Amino acid sequence: AALGRRVTSVAYPMGGWNRAVREGDWKLVALHGQSWHLFNMAEDRTEQHDLSAEQPERVKVMVTAYKQWANRCGVEPWPVRK
């Protein structure tokens, strides 16, 4: 299933190389060296309840969107190769 609304993806170097995808109320984040965590920002603005185990298909679709964005923008995995 494709994402239905506008998707925002980011990769940012804060304490390592962190990644995030936002689609509507949903936010998928992965801190450096950790797995992805899914949050419903409308219901959990402080990101306390990881829903990735309950929504594996949503995680899969959002990870694919992140990877497509990262590939298109030339985002390299940490550590950056020289």
Side-chain angles (χ1 to χ4, degrees):
L3 297 175
R5 294 190 259 176
R6 187 176 138 186
V7 176
T8 303
S9 299
V10 295
Y12 51 99
M14 179 188 289
W17 201 243
N18 302 313
R19 305 163 288 169
V21 180
R22 181 77 190 258
E23 190 264 324
D25 291 338
W26 296 97
K27 180 179 177 185
L28 187 69
V29 299
L31 301 179
H32 178 67
Q34 296 183 21
S35 60
W36 290 98
H37 301 278
L38 180 68
F39 303 99
N40 183 324
M41 300 305 291
E43 298 175 7
D44 180 22
R45 293 183 63 165
T46 59
E47 300 178 17
Q48 299 298 305
H49 306 286
D50 179 10
L51 300 173
S52 59
E54 298 170 30
Q55 298 273 341
E57 189 60 32
R58 182 178 301 279
V59 170
K60 182 179 175 182
V61 170
M62 292 178 77
V63 167
T64 298
Y66 172 82
K67 288 179 179 179
Q68 290 171 343
W69 169 83
N71 186 51
R72 186 175 65 249
C73 295
V75 175
E76 295 189 28
W78 185 264
V80 175
R81 298 172 296 219
K82 295 201 177 208

